[in-house]
Amino acid sequence: MTVGVALNASDAENQVDASVGLAREAAAAGLRSAWFGQTFGADSPHLAAIVGREVPGLQVGTSAVPVFGRHPLIVAGQAQTAQAATHGRYHLGIAVGTKLLTETGFGLPFERPIARLREFLTVLRQLTEHGTADFHGELLTANTPVPARVPGAEGGVPLLVAAMGPQALRASGEPADGILPYLAGPRALERHIVPAVTAAARAAGRPAPRITALVPGVVTDDTDAVRARATEQLAFYEQIPSYARVIELSGVRRASDLAVIGDEKAVAAEVRRYRDAGATEVVFTSTEIAGDADRRRTWALLGELA
């Protein structure tokens, strides 16, 4: 199992410079990967490419680019460019996204998300592996009258999906290399998520999928204050049906109940629980809810575990 961290420097004076600085610190602590979320701000594939270029040896990834409001030709070009920039250390995560952000932000109807995910993945696989596409689906069309290959990105780009529900897991098992579940506790992983995606991959004749579990967590002595901030920060996800379901399957009531907060011994024990539940990689998120001292303390522990 490898251990990584999600970097969020959106409050910095310069997000790119700050992300590079955080990534260097994470790599020095022994962490293996750095991941970047995608909303309406910084472009995460570009940010990952810059960070990966500046911090040699660190794996970088996007978690995750929504399929609504984007076309796979554009996303494949971004991913291949990031892969060439990092010499094979980029990992592309995609997601269905949410009805709220899709319809409010893009003005697009959030319709047939699983069908769109399947088609998007099919085209991405063609483009990232072969640099060409000839796809005419129900929702997407992708043709390459000129090559879409990026020299330096040979060998493809690992494709991961932020999938947790049964339909999304089935759709991810065949064309994707793995999944990026967030706010899915060990119980939900072991009983529901890992068996479903593994069965889908096996049925498609593919290797066992990567399970990259994104986990909010902080090593701290001030557990009450940090958990209170986590409760405020994570409450948004409780309004989204897919997250509400996986929170319930995890056997807890609030999203913040899944935050791993405590001293080194307690946090290390929780990371082991994720490993035992089937996670092949654990990525800590939400370290920005703590101060710099607790963040460094968290990364030091994760570096040891890596």
Side-chain angles (χ1 to χ4, degrees):
M1 183 185 71
T2 60
V3 181
V5 65
L7 300 181
N8 181 0
S10 57
D11 291 335
E13 183 176 341
N14 184 303
Q15 185 172 356
V16 175
D17 291 345
S19 296
V20 170
L22 287 171
R24 286 181 174 142
E25 186 178 330
L31 290 161
R32 305 290 179 82
S33 66
W35 296 79
F36 303 90
Q38 180 67 60
T39 54
F40 297 134
D43 182 79
S44 56
H46 282 113
L47 190 56
I50 294 168
V51 168
R53 186 83 171 180
E54 292 288 326
V55 189
L58 189 68
Q59 302 287 318
V60 290
T62 295
S63 176
V65 176
V67 298
F68 282 91
R70 292 165 175 84
H71 192 279
L73 275 168
I74 303 300
V75 175
Q78 292 176 305
Q80 289 184 88
T81 302
Q83 189 69 306
T86 60
H87 296 273
R89 289 179 284 114
Y90 176 70
H91 307 256
L92 172 62
I94 67 169
V96 168
T98 67
K99 180 180 177 70
L100 173 65
L101 296 182
T102 298
E103 296 189 346
T104 304
F106 292 111
L108 297 173
F110 191 73
E111 296 174 351
R112 303 187 65 190
I114 302 302
R116 181 173 294 273
L117 174 65
R118 286 182 184 275
E119 294 190 5
F120 210 102
L121 276 170
T122 299
V123 178
L124 276 180
R125 181 63 73 184
Q126 293 179 12
L127 290 167
T128 56
E129 288 191 351
H130 308 294
T132 61
D134 184 9
F135 183 84
H136 301 267
E138 295 182 64
L139 302 173
L140 293 172
T141 296
N143 292 292
T144 49
V146 296
R149 183 181 70 89
V150 176
E154 291 81 2
V157 178
L159 301 179
L160 306 170
V161 183
M164 295 182 292
Q167 294 185 71
L169 290 169
R170 285 195 296 270
S172 305
E174 179 177 350
D177 298 300
I179 58 171
L180 291 156
Y182 178 50
L183 292 179
R187 188 170 90 165
L189 284 176
E190 183 175 23
R191 297 184 183 182
H192 303 279
I193 292 174
V194 174
V197 73
T198 301
R202 184 184 303 117
R206 292 187 57 81
R210 289 170 53 186
I211 312 295
T212 301
L214 279 72
V215 181
V218 178
V219 176
T220 184
D221 292 326
D222 195 4
T223 56
D224 290 341
V226 172
R227 190 166 296 280
R229 289 195 291 272
T231 299
E232 181 180 356
Q233 181 188 72
L234 298 173
F236 166 79
Y237 294 97
E238 298 167 3
Q239 309 168 47
I240 301 171
S242 59
Y243 285 105
R245 175 183 177 276
V246 80
I247 291 167
E248 181 180 2
L249 291 175
S250 298
V252 299
R253 188 176 64 89
R254 300 294 307 271
S256 59
D257 294 333
L258 293 167
V260 177
I261 299 171
D263 63 14
E264 282 81 358
K265 182 178 179 180
V267 170
E270 285 300 303
V271 171
R272 286 192 290 271
R273 287 187 65 215
Y274 278 90
R275 177 200 62 197
D276 294 342
T280 58
E281 180 174 10
V282 172
V283 174
F284 261 36
T285 71
S286 302
T287 52
E288 68 272 9
I289 64 178
D292 286 344
D294 281 346
R295 174 176 55 77
R296 294 189 182 99
R297 187 176 167 187
T298 303
W299 290 5
L301 172 67
L302 296 179
E304 292 176 8
L305 296 176

